[in-house]
Amino acid sequence: MVETGTTSSWWRTQLQIHHHRRWISTFFTTRKTLLAALWIAFFFTVFLWQQRGAAAGFSIFRRPISSRAFPKLRPVAFNLTDFGAVGDGVTVNTAAFERAMMAISKRGKKGGGQLNVPPGYWLTAPFNLTSHLTLFLAEGAEILGINDEKYWPLMPPLPSYGCGREQPGPRYGSLIHGQNLKDVVITGHNGTINGQGQTWWRKYRQKVLNHTRGPLLQIMWSSDILISNITLRDSPFWTFHPFDCKNVTVRNVTILAPVFEAPNTDGIDPDSCEDMVIEDCYISVGDDAIAIKSGWDQYGIAYGRPSRNILIRNLVVRSMVSAGISIGSEMSGGVSNVTVENVHVWGSRRAVRIKTAPGRGGYVRQITYRNLTFENVRVGIVIKTDYNEHPDDGFDPKAVPSLEDINYFSIHGEGVRVPVRMHGSSEIPVRKVTFRDMSVGITYKKKHIFQCAFVEGRVIGTIFPAPCENLDLYDEQGHLIRRSTSQNVSDIDYDF
């Protein structure tokens, strides 16, 4: 009986194994059939989608078209297609933009109008904005700049520059331009303005352009400007250049260009501007992410319009060839009352920089940097007083700028090669500099990592790395510990 029971148990085990094998075999057979059916269905769906998309002018590889509704932000709203525009990336839509601006300009006394740019690729030559305008770019909308310079108009040099920044004489205008405007909003569901600058960059490097390249977006002598919730990319030259404007806000904007071989593609260049806020932006470009300016040498001195009352906050920026946040070098009208706070600079050649030279005149003062983070930056804090580029030989070398009241609070980071390099001179000393709460991890444990020349100021509390001997030392309560007698000592090393 025991043997029979054992035999019965063995057969039950074999039947169970056979049953599992059949189930597994059936499962895999069914699974293979199911996967094959799913792949067939997938490719059939893709084929139909691409056929339908191609009929509408879009391929599978382009961004999906958004179905988000346009908000109505003005009393009347137009669609760009109402004026004959075609968003196929081939048709030139300059006339449609111009007709739209004309229609909105006629409604200025009634609150202006809104121009909606729907999803599509809207090729255009440069066009002018109008007052009391909201330009709204849908998700999937991309305004493309035509890359043939014969379509770009020539403009007189900026009055505070005297000549083109790259070539004497006139300069190319911007893709989107405005002068003497009031109440202009450029916003959207993160649509894009694309300068298609690759051709311009190549021609600049080949030295075949006869005039200074044009910005992507330039607004001059205007007030009450808002740029928000869009992407600006691949500008031929500076990306957004507000000139002699008041009450300008840039918020939630992404600005992009290749970090190499995209020359002079600054992100935002406030130039002789007053009462400006730049916040909550991401900028990664081929030159300064932000550069505050106010005119060039004798022309800027004569024009006499400072940049002042500027707040820059909550940014992530990158510049592999220049600096995250710069002041100058064109600062001949003066720069004052600037606050830069809550900014992360990563993967950059320099983090924050002030640059000027004899001949500039003007001043840089009342500048506060607060809560900055440097990550993998070659040089953290830079002041350079020998940036010798001039518009012509008519500059006055005795017109020296003054640099004073410059404050660095809560500066932190890691992977920084030289945390500080402040290079004043006997002609242009740097005065009233303050450091407080600084701790920057360094990549090279060399002696000269906090470099100073002709600098006067103070350090409050303990900072790392140890400061240069040019600065007075104070404790956390503001009591003097040691007064420096070496303000004019030079400890600059450009070899690393």
Side-chain angles (χ1 to χ4, degrees), residues 85-157:
V86 179
D88 59 3
V90 177
T91 304
V92 179
N93 296 292
T94 315
F97 279 106
E98 290 173 342
R99 287 192 290 267
M101 295 302 150
M102 181 62 69
I104 291 172
S105 69
K106 294 177 179 179
R107 303 189 59 86
K109 294 182 179 180
K110 299 180 181 179
Q114 176 173 328
L115 177 62
N116 294 327
V117 182
Y121 295 84
W122 310 93
L123 184 67
T124 182
F127 64 90
N128 292 320
L129 303 174
T130 188
S131 293
H132 309 294
L133 161 74
T134 295
L135 179 62
F136 195 98
L137 280 70
E139 182 181 5
E142 191 161 354
I143 297 175
L144 300 174
I146 198 165
N147 55 21
D148 188 339
E149 66 264 27
K150 72 181 181 183
Y151 291 96
W152 290 61
L154 292 176
M155 301 184 64

Side-chain angles (χ1 to χ4, degrees), residues 226-472:
L226 171 63
I227 314 294
S228 69
N229 302 315
I230 61 171
T231 294
L232 306 175
R233 69 176 305 136
D234 294 344
S235 174
F237 191 55
W238 300 343
T239 304
F240 176 41
H241 182 219
F243 178 83
D244 200 353
C245 291
K246 294 184 179 181
N247 192 22
V248 180
T249 299
V250 182
R251 178 183 299 128
N252 292 326
V253 171
T254 299
I255 302 178
L256 302 172
V259 294
F260 292 116
E261 298 186 352
N264 309 110
T265 50
D266 299 18
I268 304 172
D269 284 3
D271 202 337
S272 295
C273 287
E274 183 175 348
D275 301 332
M276 184 166 178
V277 176
I278 303 170
E279 61 185 358
D280 304 322
C281 297
Y282 178 85
I283 305 173
S284 176
V285 289
D287 209 297
D288 295 318
I290 295 175
I292 301 173
K293 305 175 182 291
S294 65
W296 200 9
D297 286 2
Q298 70 271 29
Y299 303 104
I301 294 171
Y303 192 72
R305 300 284 199 282
S307 281
R308 60 188 179 188
N309 305 336
I310 297 175
L311 173 61
I312 300 168
R313 63 185 176 190
N314 307 333
L315 268 60
V316 176
V317 298
R318 185 188 190 198
S319 172
M320 288 290 289
V321 301
S322 197
I325 312 291
S326 282
I327 297 175
S329 73
E330 309 94 325
M331 40 61 64
S332 301
V335 177
S336 66
N337 195 24
V338 175
T339 298
V340 179
E341 62 184 10
N342 304 332
V343 173
H344 184 112
V345 185
W346 71 283
S348 296
R349 186 174 181 86
R350 306 170 190 90
V352 294
R353 175 170 63 165
I354 298 171
K355 48 184 176 175
T356 186
R360 292 289 192 270
Y363 53 84
V364 176
R365 62 188 183 215
Q366 298 170 336
I367 313 297
T368 298
Y369 301 94
R370 181 187 299 113
N371 194 23
L372 306 185
T373 302
F374 307 154
E375 180 185 358
N376 297 325
V377 171
R378 184 181 177 91
V379 186
I381 294 168
V382 180
I383 297 178
K384 184 176 177 62
T385 57
D386 59 352
Y387 202 87
N388 290 307
E389 292 183 352
H390 304 283
D392 52 43
D393 293 334
F395 73 96
D396 179 6
K398 295 181 181 179
V400 294
S402 65
L403 308 179
E404 63 179 0
D405 194 7
I406 303 167
N407 306 291
Y408 302 92
F409 303 143
S410 298
I411 312 296
H412 303 282
E414 61 182 6
V416 179
R417 195 169 185 179
V418 179
V420 177
R421 179 181 286 150
M422 296 187 295
H423 190 181
S425 67
S426 58
E427 296 176 289
I428 311 173
V430 183
R431 297 189 174 97
K432 297 182 181 178
V433 176
T434 299
F435 285 89
R436 184 168 193 167
D437 182 20
M438 177 176 176
S439 177
V440 176
I442 56 177
T443 57
Y444 287 81
K445 295 183 178 179
K446 292 189 176 183
K447 178 181 178 182
H448 302 125
I449 55 176
F450 198 120
Q451 303 178 12
C452 303
F454 293 90
V455 174
E456 173 264 315
R458 59 179 180 166
V459 173
I460 301 176
T462 301
I463 67 172
F464 183 86
C468 58
E469 60 185 40
N470 307 59
L471 303 174
D472 300 336

Side-chain angles (χ1 to χ4, degrees), residues 18-125:
H18 179 69
H19 173 74
H20 284 305
R21 285 175 177 169
R22 284 190 60 192
W23 181 84
I24 291 170
S25 175
T26 304
F27 171 77
F28 278 107
T29 303
T30 306
R31 190 163 180 247
K32 288 178 181 177
T33 304
L34 178 61
L35 287 172
L38 287 173
W39 275 110
I40 293 170
F42 172 74
F43 282 112
F44 183 71
T45 303
V46 168
F47 175 77
L48 288 178
W49 182 29
Q50 189 163 10
Q51 291 299 310
R52 292 171 181 171
F58 297 94
S59 78
I60 183 176
F61 299 105
R62 289 195 170 178
R63 270 188 306 192
I65 297 176
S66 170
S67 60
R68 296 173 67 182
F70 288 102
K72 190 173 181 181
L73 306 174
R74 298 280 182 176
V76 64
F78 301 99
N79 194 300
L80 185 60
T81 56
D82 298 339
F83 301 94
V86 179
D88 59 3
V90 177
T91 304
V92 179
N93 296 292
T94 315
F97 279 106
E98 290 173 342
R99 287 192 290 267
M101 295 302 150
M102 181 62 69
I104 291 172
S105 69
K106 294 177 179 179
R107 303 189 59 86
K109 294 182 179 180
K110 299 180 181 179
Q114 176 173 328
L115 177 62
N116 294 327
V117 182
Y121 295 84
W122 310 93
L123 184 67
T124 182

